Amino acid sequence: MSTTVIDGAHVVTMNAGREEHAGGHVVLEGNRITAVGPGSAPEAVRAGADRVVDGSGCLLTPGLVNTHHHLYQWVTRGLAVDETLFGWLTTLYPVWARIDERAVNVAARGGLAWLARTGCTTSTDHHYVFPRDGGDLLAAEIEAARSVGLRFHPTRGSMDLGESDGGLPPDHVVEDLDAVLLATEAAINRWHDPSPGSMLRIAVAPCSPFSVTADLLREAAALARRRDVLLHTHLAETLDEEKFCRERFGCSPVDYMESLGWLGADVWFAHAVHLDDDAVRRIGATGTGVAHCPSSNGRLGSGIARARDLRNAGARVGLGVDGAASNESASMLEEVRGALLFARATGGPQALSVRDALEMATLGGAAVLGRSADLGSVEQGKLADLALWRLDTFAHADIADPVAALVLGSRPPLELLLVDGRPVVEHDRVVTVDEHALAREAVSVHQTLLSSER
Ligand SMILES: [Zn+2]
């Protein structure tokens, strides 16, 4: 088992006491953290290590956890750039209807490699577009995650409420309810690894109240609970969705989901922007998770989620980049900054501290994905998922507080990103992919999707 020592960095542990060690050390053996503390690692440990990383001038944080994404959208960025959610979706559904295994594999490699560059070590993905002749799209993105080296929690998404039944998506991109349930259970059987050090876990994720039936939501919850996996969907993203639910179901999106058994410690919602006080209280009281996606909500003009209120109410709140077609930047670190700025713009300067913003992207995300025991902090026994940020740069060197430099400053170079103890980024370059070749592949897939006619 190989031993790595990182010495001399400012270590943000995110442990229970929120300890930080200026010039501290971390020791890793294999894929686990075996020691964390102030000062240098003991000389005997340094001498016996396979690798000693000089962390001076750097900030060491837990790897960031992304709780909401649609990786396939990496190859459909920059479209409908001035639209609302519903306008943007109806423009993009016909493009997405053409995706296939190659498109999803290239998009997922691009999206995940870029997430790595922005400090992310674990990501979920919400994939819900399965064209009939598209091939095995879940396998295509899982292969991508393995090649990039990120810890991956993909969901088997779905849509079964087409336009002719009053839904938003066109009929040719929705699936039949029974087919969805069979494919979802097959995905759990084939891929889900519940072990503590797992690199791959599956969740069940019907797309949204306006693209799936109540029957699918109910059956999906039953399936997830029978198989002990998590449940995920979009909720309360826009006022258009609120109007849709009031007209169709006579209640708010949260009332609707509660009536279908969709509140609880095994559920997380993306967005949760438009919530009244009672909805915030119920989400908090049930320990439901929320993926707060400030950049996407800003890009689509959807509104600002009540992240502080949700945290105070007891909800598990993480951060998400959301799909790359509604957040072309798709950077986890930018979501930390965005969450802080949004919270303070609406709630005043005390609404969210720089350390609480970072906490949402680490401990918060780990809690949302059910990984609190193994991820989210730099502590003995946890998995070796770490980000080492270089702060002795022109842009950061004289910022007094290193955590403020990371959260409030521009994105620092990422000196090293370790996932499961293995390097994915070194000296601000992803070492597991050829970045330039991948960019060319993404351009090619983008052009094919935009030019082909069915
Ligand atoms: Zn989304």
Side-chain angles (χ1 to χ4, degrees), residues 129-409:
V129 182
F130 291 91
R132 276 179 196 90
D133 49 358
D136 192 342
L137 303 187
L138 199 59
E141 66 171 351
I142 287 169
E143 195 281 319
R146 283 183 174 152
S147 70
V148 176
L150 257 61
R151 206 176 292 284
F152 199 35
H153 282 224
T155 65
R156 208 303 180 173
S158 50
M159 301 193 289
D160 75 332
L161 185 68
E163 223 168 354
S164 61
D165 294 317
L168 193 71
D171 291 349
H172 63 276
V173 297
V174 305
E175 298 176 278
D176 170 70
L177 187 154
D178 291 330
V180 167
L181 294 173
L182 279 172
T184 305
E185 184 144 28
I188 298 167
N189 290 338
R190 183 171 171 198
W191 304 112
H192 184 67
D193 172 9
S195 70
S198 179
M199 290 293 289
L200 180 61
R201 286 191 188 170
I202 302 290
V204 178
C207 189
S208 67
F210 53 84
S211 61
V212 305
T213 61
D215 284 344
L216 176 53
L217 287 166
R218 218 180 275 113
E219 293 292 326
L223 168 62
R225 283 168 183 149
R226 181 161 56 77
R227 298 303 307 269
D228 195 23
V229 300
L230 300 182
L231 278 166
H232 180 48
T233 193
H234 293 97
L235 199 74
E237 182 173 358
T238 65
L239 289 173
D240 286 340
E241 179 190 328
E242 170 88 17
K243 185 163 170 277
F244 179 93
C245 288
R246 297 246 173 234
E247 285 174 6
R248 197 173 164 100
F249 315 121
C251 61
S252 75
V254 170
D255 292 335
Y256 177 57
M257 296 310 279
E258 187 172 32
S259 77
L260 297 167
W262 267 76
L263 290 184
D266 58 348
V267 177
W268 90 100
F269 297 132
H271 306 303
V273 172
H274 297 283
L275 305 177
D276 61 18
D277 289 345
D278 192 46
V280 169
R281 187 191 57 73
R282 279 180 287 156
I283 287 176
T286 51
T288 303
V290 170
H292 175 32
C293 306
S295 295
S296 173
N297 297 153
R299 153 70 150 92
L300 293 168
S302 304
I304 298 178
R306 298 170 62 181
R308 162 55 60 188
D309 295 338
L310 284 161
R311 278 166 60 91
N312 289 348
R316 296 167 293 127
V317 184
L319 298 179
V321 300
D322 201 2
S326 65
N327 175 9
E328 278 74 2
S329 174
S331 153
M332 259 317 284
L333 186 59
E334 278 184 29
E335 297 311 304
V336 180
R337 179 186 167 86
L340 179 139
L341 297 180
F342 273 24
R344 292 189 185 181
T346 52
Q350 308 297 322
L352 195 69
S353 73
V354 293
R355 283 165 175 77
D356 282 351
L358 185 60
E359 183 188 304
M360 281 202 287
T362 52
L363 288 174
V368 165
L369 296 185
R371 302 298 300 264
S372 295
D374 285 296
L375 302 174
S377 60
V378 184
E379 293 182 83
Q380 189 183 353
K382 287 216 174 179
L383 289 165
D385 290 13
L386 303 170
L388 186 67
W389 309 88
R390 184 152 286 290
L391 293 181
D392 53 359
T393 67
F394 173 40
H396 307 91
D398 59 338
I399 300 177
D401 174 349
V403 181
L406 179 72
V407 175
L408 301 176

